Amino acid sequence: MRKQQQTEKGRMRTKAVGAGPDHQGALLPDTPAQAGPVTPRRSSEAGTGPVLGRALQILGAFSASCPEMTLSALSRRSGLPVSTVHRMLGELIAWGALERGDDGCYRVGLRLWEVGSLAPRGQGLRERALPFLEDLSQITRENVQLAVQEGTEVVYVERIAGSGAVPVFSRVGGRFALTATGVGLVLLAYAPVEVQEKVLAGPFERFTERTLTDPRAVRSVLAEVRAGGYAVSDRQVTMDALSVAAPVYASSGEVAAAVSLVVRHGSASPHALARLVRTSARAISRAMAAPRG
């Protein structure tokens, strides 16, 4: 009788499990001895997603001002627990995204730089523009820059420093405000309307007493850029520098980048610099439109 009741209970448990919408036909073992090891199913959202997000938080903690950090500093800047950062650093180092120096500090690895250099907007543009940037640099002995627009910022794709030229804040891969630099004003002048309105809504970061912070003044400058075909940023970033920039066009006719000269304020006429910069910009535009050989 007792054996019959146990059998009946087992049938009821099997039926209950099999009746559920997520367990059609599944059998639940009657005793722990019959059950094998259970491996929980992990969805991509619950597993890979957060892990990838945490890895990006760690990589995003590095910047020009913090190119290398200790474990504790990485934890603070990424906002992740030390244990989490420590656990993920092993995989990031093994892949080559990060490197650990003899001093115990972590820095960006060459593998990450190799992957980043493949970005088509940066690589293809730089390759075609570089000969003309070098010519402009040799003629003027001044700072030459090539930049693209990314969201509401400028991203520098290439920079050639002139011998004895005025110091600049830009660096390859660095970002800057669109409204303060020559390349930024050019890119903003030809950017989609929604990007312009977002930038003009502010806030504006002030670098010097001459930095444009009035939306109406910026709109007026952008109109002048479109009318004249070049932009002038006069002592907006530092009080000793002047930048003149011109647009680079893609084969589609859209502005793809901007090229600029940055010189010491008072050393040259903006109009004279504009002729040189526009000539280089047109040459790069023709190179962009030419089919690859």
Side-chain angles (χ1 to χ4, degrees):
M1 182 68 179
R2 187 174 181 180
K3 184 175 181 181
Q4 183 177 3
Q5 290 176 343
Q6 290 176 340
T7 303
E8 192 65 30
K9 288 180 180 179
R11 290 174 180 171
M12 291 175 65
R13 290 181 65 192
T14 299
K15 182 178 181 181
V17 172
D22 297 328
H23 302 278
Q24 294 182 359
L27 297 179
L28 183 67
D30 286 336
T31 65
Q34 292 175 278
V38 178
T39 303
R41 296 178 62 186
R42 300 176 62 187
S43 66
S44 58
E45 182 179 357
T48 307
V51 171
L52 178 58
R54 289 194 292 269
L56 293 175
Q57 281 181 259
I58 293 173
L59 295 176
F62 292 90
S63 67
S65 59
C66 292
E68 54 183 32
M69 285 175 279
T70 62
L71 174 61
S72 58
L74 261 176
S75 174
R76 287 193 302 271
R77 283 182 60 87
S78 66
L80 297 171
V82 172
S83 58
T84 300
V85 175
H86 183 266
R87 183 171 62 252
M88 300 196 67
L89 282 174
E91 293 187 33
L92 291 171
I93 290 173
W95 185 80
L98 296 178
E99 297 174 354
R100 186 175 187 271
D102 295 335
D103 57 358
C105 290
Y106 299 90
R107 53 187 63 88
V108 174
L110 283 177
R111 179 78 180 278
L112 193 62
W113 176 82
E114 291 172 2
V115 173
S117 67
L118 298 176
R121 272 213 296 170
Q123 185 188 40
L125 172 63
R126 180 185 176 278
E127 287 179 352
R128 297 198 173 198
L130 193 56
F132 306 102
L133 299 178
E134 291 175 338
D135 288 345
L136 185 58
S137 174
Q138 290 177 3
I139 292 171
T140 63
R141 301 297 179 184
E142 300 288 357
N143 297 302
V144 178
Q145 302 179 143
L146 181 69
V148 297
Q149 172 230 332
E150 176 74 9
T152 58
E153 294 177 305
V154 163
V155 178
Y156 291 94
V157 176
E158 184 57 85
R159 181 177 78 87
I160 302 176
S163 56
V166 63
V168 294
F169 291 156
S170 62
R171 64 177 181 84
V172 175
R175 294 172 177 263
F176 214 83
L178 279 169
T179 55
T181 62
V183 287
L185 289 170
V186 166
L187 294 169
L188 184 59
Y190 295 97
V193 174
E194 56 269 22
V195 174
Q196 294 183 11
E197 294 304 319
K198 186 174 182 178
V199 172
L200 292 171
F204 297 88
E205 185 175 357
R206 182 181 289 278
F207 301 97
T208 72
E209 60 187 36
R210 295 183 61 88
T211 303
L212 293 175
T213 57
D214 182 356
R216 291 172 297 181
V218 176
R219 285 186 189 276
S220 177
V221 169
L222 297 181
E224 292 175 3
V225 171
R226 289 188 290 268
Y230 68 95
V232 177
S233 173
D234 185 5
R235 293 167 287 172
Q236 285 207 68
V237 179
T238 62
M239 290 300 292
D240 58 352
L242 178 141
S243 172
V244 178
V248 173
Y249 292 88
S251 57
S252 62
E254 297 180 346
V255 171
V259 60
S260 72
L261 273 172
V262 183
V263 305
R264 193 173 300 277
H265 172 72
S267 64
S269 162
H271 296 290
L273 296 174
R275 288 195 293 271
L276 294 171
V277 173
R278 294 185 69 187
T279 299
S280 295
R282 285 193 292 267
I284 298 171
S285 299
R286 288 193 294 270
M288 294 283 288
R292 286 186 177 272

